[in-house]
């Protein structure tokens, strides 16, 4: 039988989960798909912004200044441009695709989405599939 303290802990967890789910919708819609194809890795990354309209400026291999990655992780940086105006209607997702050279030790891809100032606004990590 549950004690009253146990029920309060469960309810607090449910409330916290609801807050994270509804306050950060991009967590549900963003993602990375990385596929090994011969000697290259095809990377498809999606970022769902919360309010403003963004577009992809550039996508390149490498990490932003000051960022760290673990061993076996290929870093990709996607530079974004923000329109500055709120989107009319639903906020469209930002999509970037590129190919990077494969490395023998690579097991995952970490994508950094950065704004015009170089500030990281979102990161997404995905395993490399064959």
């Amino acid at each position: 039988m549950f004690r009253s303290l146990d029920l309060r802990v469960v309810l607090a967890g449910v409330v916290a989960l609801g807050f994270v789910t509804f306050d950060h919708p991009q967590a549900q819609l963003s993602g990375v798909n990385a596929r090994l194809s011969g000697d290259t890795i095809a990377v498809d990354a999606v970022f769902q912004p919360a309010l403003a309209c963004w577009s992809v400026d550039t996508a390149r291999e490498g990490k932003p200044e000051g960022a760290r990655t673990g061993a076996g992780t290929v870093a990709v940086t996607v530079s974004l441009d923000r329109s500055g105006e709120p989107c009319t209607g639903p906020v469209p997702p930002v999509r970037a695709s590129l190919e990077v050279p494969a490395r023998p030790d690579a097991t995952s891809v970490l994508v950094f989405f950065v704004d015009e100032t170089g500030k990281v606004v979102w990161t997404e990590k995905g395993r490399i599939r064959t």
Side-chain angles (χ1 to χ4, degrees), residues 5-123:
L5 176 62
D6 296 334
L7 287 176
R8 283 184 272 163
V9 170
V10 170
L11 289 176
V14 169
V15 169
L17 180 62
F19 173 76
V20 169
T21 302
F22 294 118
D23 191 45
H24 299 286
Q26 64 268 36
Q28 299 172 355
L29 303 173
S30 301
V32 173
N33 185 13
R35 294 173 315 280
L36 183 62
S37 176
D39 55 351
T40 61
I41 302 169
V43 180
D44 297 317
V46 179
F47 165 58
Q48 180 64 57
L51 298 174
C53 287
W54 296 81
S55 61
V56 174
D57 181 30
T58 61
R60 64 173 177 81
E61 181 182 12
K63 56 189 175 189
E65 189 173 329
R68 292 187 224 154
T69 59
T73 302
V74 177
V76 172
T77 300
V78 177
S79 299
L80 303 173
D81 283 331
R82 182 166 41 185
S83 69
E85 298 293 322
C87 289
T88 56
V91 179
V94 177
R95 300 179 187 279
S97 297
L98 72 150
E99 289 187 350
V100 296
R103 296 189 331 226
D105 66 331
T107 58
S108 61
V109 173
L110 179 58
V111 179
F112 296 91
F113 292 92
V114 298
D115 65 7
E116 305 91 357
T117 65
K119 178 183 171 192
V120 176
V121 295
W122 191 257
T123 60

